[in-house]
Amino acid sequence: MTQRKLVLSLAALIFISTGVYLFNYERHKEDFLPIKIKKALVSKNKKKAKSWPTYIETLKNLTSDSNPLVESNSLESIKSIEKTLKNKTTPKKAELDQAIKAIEEVISKDPLVYSSYKAKLIMLLTREEVHKEEVPDDTIEELLDIMAGFDISSEEALRKESFLIARTNNKLNELEKDIIQLSLDLEKIESPEESERVEVAILTKLLEMQESENLLEDKLLSQDNFQNEDLVDIPLYRSLAKKDYQEVIDSSQALIERYPNSISGYFFLIKALELNGQNEEASEVIKQSELDTEDLRELELRLRRSQNINPNEYWKHLRF
């Protein structure tokens, strides 16, 4: 009798413990950043945003009633920010720090400019990966949350500005490597004629990269159910870069459970399992997926594009 009571007590304890674990797990799922961002993206309660060109045009059109010198300095800051963001080679820390300070001033002046937050996000992530200055998770979460809370679907300019395009492909990856190599070669060249030739080659590669990015952007923009999924991807890319594979696995599984048609959820789950040495589990994910034929094709395409691409270099493919 005593033994039976003991068995029943143990069974009850296991049952209760399992229940508590599942309850806490279900609650914790909603705390995963990709889930929070996805929920914000599908929310109907959105803030009206201003586009980057609109903000610049406002600065240019300010009347003489305001301080012309101040506005001139603001426009110079904008140029500095854009130059830093479009630098496809490794940016220097001092340049990044100065541009981050400048974009924070823009945000303080007008908190409705969507691309200001995007610019700050890109520069912080770049500084984190290049100069190994870890950014607090709360800072990244706040920026992504603000960006997800803007209405960017109703205006084409804002839709275009929303793209981060971390979901790069091998062609873009090779172009980026060529540009870095040409830039390194340029630093060693003394002949003006040879320098001009290399500068033209760099410009040609940059234009080719821009064209490839535009093609990818146009394809995504044409989707009727457009949402800025790039914002969901960023924390997952960041965790992959930090080799925090279990975090990616847990977040991706939660994302799939909440949104069964999430291509990003499946993509990052497979990538994290593969990088964690769980290749058999990764191969089972596609077999058990609930994706339709078209989404499954898109998933397989993304997986092929990601082959031989270093997860630590995701920041290089973030687009302003």
Side-chain angles (χ1 to χ4, degrees):
M1 188 70 173
T2 304
Q3 187 175 0
R4 185 166 177 244
K5 284 184 178 180
L6 180 60
V7 170
L8 289 173
S9 298
L10 286 172
L13 181 61
I14 292 171
F15 179 78
I16 293 170
S17 299
T18 303
V20 170
Y21 170 79
L22 290 173
F23 175 75
N24 288 330
Y25 173 73
E26 289 298 319
R27 283 203 312 173
H28 180 56
K29 278 197 307 186
E30 300 300 309
D31 292 334
F32 286 120
L33 184 52
I35 297 280
K36 288 182 178 179
I37 300 304
K38 181 70 175 179
K39 286 169 68 176
L41 287 173
V42 300
S43 170
K44 302 296 183 184
N45 186 21
K46 298 278 191 177
K47 298 190 296 286
K48 183 66 177 175
K50 288 184 184 178
S51 70
W52 187 250
T54 299
Y55 175 71
I56 294 173
E57 196 61 30
T58 301
L59 286 178
K60 290 179 178 178
N61 292 336
L62 284 174
T63 64
S64 56
D65 293 338
S66 59
N67 189 331
L69 181 60
V70 171
E71 302 315 327
S72 175
N73 289 339
S74 296
L75 288 170
E76 287 302 313
S77 293
I78 294 294
K79 290 179 183 177
S80 173
I81 291 165
E82 290 178 342
K83 181 180 177 182
T84 302
L85 287 163
K86 291 177 181 178
N87 180 6
K88 294 293 181 181
T89 59
T90 303
K92 295 178 181 177
K93 185 177 180 301
E95 292 174 357
L96 278 170
D97 289 345
Q98 183 177 357
I100 290 170
K101 184 177 179 181
I103 203 65
E104 286 174 344
E105 290 180 6
V106 172
I107 291 172
S108 68
K109 289 179 180 177
D110 193 337
L112 296 180
V113 183
Y114 176 86
S115 284
S116 298
Y117 301 98
K118 179 180 178 181
K120 184 176 179 181
L121 175 70
I122 292 174
M123 289 188 287
L124 286 175
L125 293 175
T126 301
R127 189 173 68 182
E128 180 174 66
E129 288 301 320
V130 177
H131 301 290
K132 305 306 175 189
E133 261 191 36
E134 188 160 357
V135 182
D137 292 341
D138 289 349
T139 301
I140 299 300
E141 181 171 346
E142 181 183 13
L143 287 169
L144 291 171
D145 187 55
I146 292 171
M147 292 167 71
F150 278 119
D151 173 19
I152 50 89
S153 62
S154 59
E155 189 176 333
E156 185 177 358
L158 286 167
R159 288 177 68 162
K160 284 182 174 291
E161 285 182 32
S162 70
F163 284 100
L164 287 166
I165 312 187
R167 59 186 81 177
T168 186
N169 57 38
N170 285 323
K171 182 178 180 182
L172 288 172
N173 196 43
E174 289 304 316
L175 285 169
E176 185 263 336
K177 287 180 180 177
D178 290 344
I179 290 168
I180 288 178
Q181 186 56 55
L182 285 168
S183 299
L184 292 173
D185 293 342
L186 185 62
E187 293 177 1
K188 302 173 185 175
I189 294 172
E190 297 181 0
S191 164
E193 293 81 8
E194 185 65 13
S195 292
E196 185 177 352
R197 185 193 68 78
V198 174
E199 286 173 355
V200 170
I202 290 173
L203 179 60
T204 302
K205 294 284 184 183
L206 285 170
L207 290 173
E208 191 176 348
M209 177 178 279
Q210 181 82 26
E211 184 179 352
S212 296
E213 289 176 335
N214 286 340
L215 288 172
L216 180 56
E217 179 183 284
D218 289 342
K219 178 184 175 184
L220 294 170
L221 274 173
S222 67
Q223 297 175 358
D224 293 334
N225 59 342
F226 168 77
Q227 288 176 359
N228 190 8
E229 288 287 331
D230 282 355
L231 297 184
V232 176
D233 293 354
I234 289 299
L236 294 165
Y237 274 117
R238 188 168 175 248
S239 292
L240 277 186
K242 292 181 175 183
K243 295 183 171 55
D244 196 350
Y245 303 134
Q246 192 57 52
E247 174 69 20
V248 179
I249 291 169
D250 292 342
S251 294
S252 300
Q253 287 176 333
L255 193 59
I256 292 168
E257 285 181 34
R258 190 80 156 72
Y259 302 98
N261 296 323
S262 172
I263 296 174
S264 289
Y266 284 104
F267 172 78
F268 284 101
L269 176 56
I270 292 168
K271 292 301 295 183
L273 287 169
E274 288 177 344
L275 291 168
N276 203 36
Q278 298 172 256
N279 293 308
E280 289 185 14
E281 290 89 338
S283 63
E284 285 296 315
V285 171
I286 292 182
K287 294 177 186 177
Q288 298 173 6
S289 79
E290 298 180 22
L291 297 176
D292 60 29
T293 304
E294 186 176 339
D295 286 345
L296 196 56
R297 192 182 302 118
E298 175 65 25
L299 171 62
E300 290 171 342
L301 180 59
R302 281 188 70 179
L303 289 168
R304 282 200 299 274
R305 284 172 173 169
S306 70
Q307 289 176 356
N308 304 319
I309 292 177
N310 186 348
N312 292 69
E313 297 183 344
Y314 78 98
W315 60 272
K316 293 180 181 179
H317 309 291
L318 301 179
R319 183 186 186 191
F320 182 72

